[in-house]
Amino acid sequence: MSYVLVPQEHDTRLLLKVVMQTTRWVALGLSVGDLIMARRQLLNLKQLAERHHHRGTAKD
């Protein structure tokens, strides 16, 4: 599992990549479960980043 930040014109995109060696059906099952957990993690990360950004701009 790896994360990568990709700069965009007006913001930054966070990409998550999952690589595993297993059968197609096991990978499908794990991917569905991981999608739910990863989505929650990324939403929490987004919330923390935005909170940190808003605190930084409030001081200016």
Side-chain angles (χ1 to χ4, degrees):
M1 179 180 293
S2 62
Y3 295 91
V4 123
L5 291 172
V6 180
Q8 302 286 308
E9 187 173 335
H10 298 288
D11 58 5
T12 301
R13 180 174 287 236
L14 175 63
L15 301 177
L16 166 63
K17 180 179 181 180
V18 178
V19 178
M20 66 180 89
Q21 292 182 358
T22 186
T23 67
R24 180 172 284 176
W25 294 110
V26 171
L28 179 64
L30 290 172
S31 295
V32 170
D34 189 60
L35 177 65
I36 295 166
M37 291 189 329
R39 183 177 187 278
R40 184 69 184 150
Q41 281 182 321
L42 294 173
L43 288 172
N44 284 335
L45 185 58
K46 177 182 183 275
Q47 182 182 26
L48 290 170
E50 288 173 347
R51 185 184 316 157
H52 179 73
H53 175 74
H54 291 309
R55 279 191 201 150
T57 57
K59 294 178 183 178
D60 295 338

